[in-house]
Amino acid sequence: DQESYVMRNGIIMMIGTLIENAFNEQDNEQNNPRQIQDENVDQNIENNRKREKNKKTKNDLFDMLETRILDINSYTRSKVLQTWSHLISEKIVPVTRLCKTLIPSVRDRLQDKAALVRKQAIQILTVIVKKNPWGPLELDNDKAKQEMELLKHEIHQIENSLSKLELKLSHKLLKKQGIEFKLDAADEEEQEQNKMI
């Protein structure tokens, strides 16, 4: 009658360890340079079957971890998110699985009723940003500030080249899109007069 979340947590940790250790060691062994000339065709076929079987097993284990994200117990949901976080930090999770299924599932966990689960969901997203599987990511605050200043300077140059009428029209268009600009005092007076009329 009791919930066996402790058992599920243990199984989740075991699956994560199995994915991390067993399949990575097999991948490394298969990637080692060998003399293909010495191997016969039957061995190549057998190795390909083993690779496909291992790939299917690994995907099945990933699927099991994904279904546990929706577990009824919050401790289990938290543990599975913690396991995913570790696998992502070790760059074991394929990018396609990460983008198509895992990130949307984690995003849904950001609204979980348990604070522990929400914390782990934020942790996963943080790990994804830090480890960035899509390539190099520059998180240089000073560089971003310099680029922002250059863009502000370009906007100012464009505004100076526009006539007053063009400037008012562009500000109105931007305001309709929800972007507010600080207008000149004359423009503000004109807007106040229009409101009074």
Side-chain angles (χ1 to χ4, degrees), residues 83-99:
T83 303
W84 275 114
S85 179
H86 178 72
L87 292 174
I88 292 167
S89 68
E90 296 295 322
K91 296 190 177 189
I92 295 172
V93 181
V95 176
T96 53
R97 179 176 291 271
L98 190 66
C99 294

Side-chain angles (χ1 to χ4, degrees), residues 184-197:
D184 295 337
D187 292 335
E188 289 175 359
E189 289 176 12
E190 185 179 319
Q191 284 182 350
E192 288 178 16
Q193 289 176 357
N194 289 339
K195 287 179 184 178
M196 294 179 133
I197 296 175

Side-chain angles (χ1 to χ4, degrees), residues 3-21:
E3 292 184 18
S4 57
Y5 72 89
V6 176
M7 182 70 80
R8 290 195 304 269
N9 288 357
I11 291 171
I12 287 166
M13 289 176 61
M14 180 194 67
I15 290 171
T17 304
L18 188 63
I19 290 171
E20 180 182 7
N21 296 327

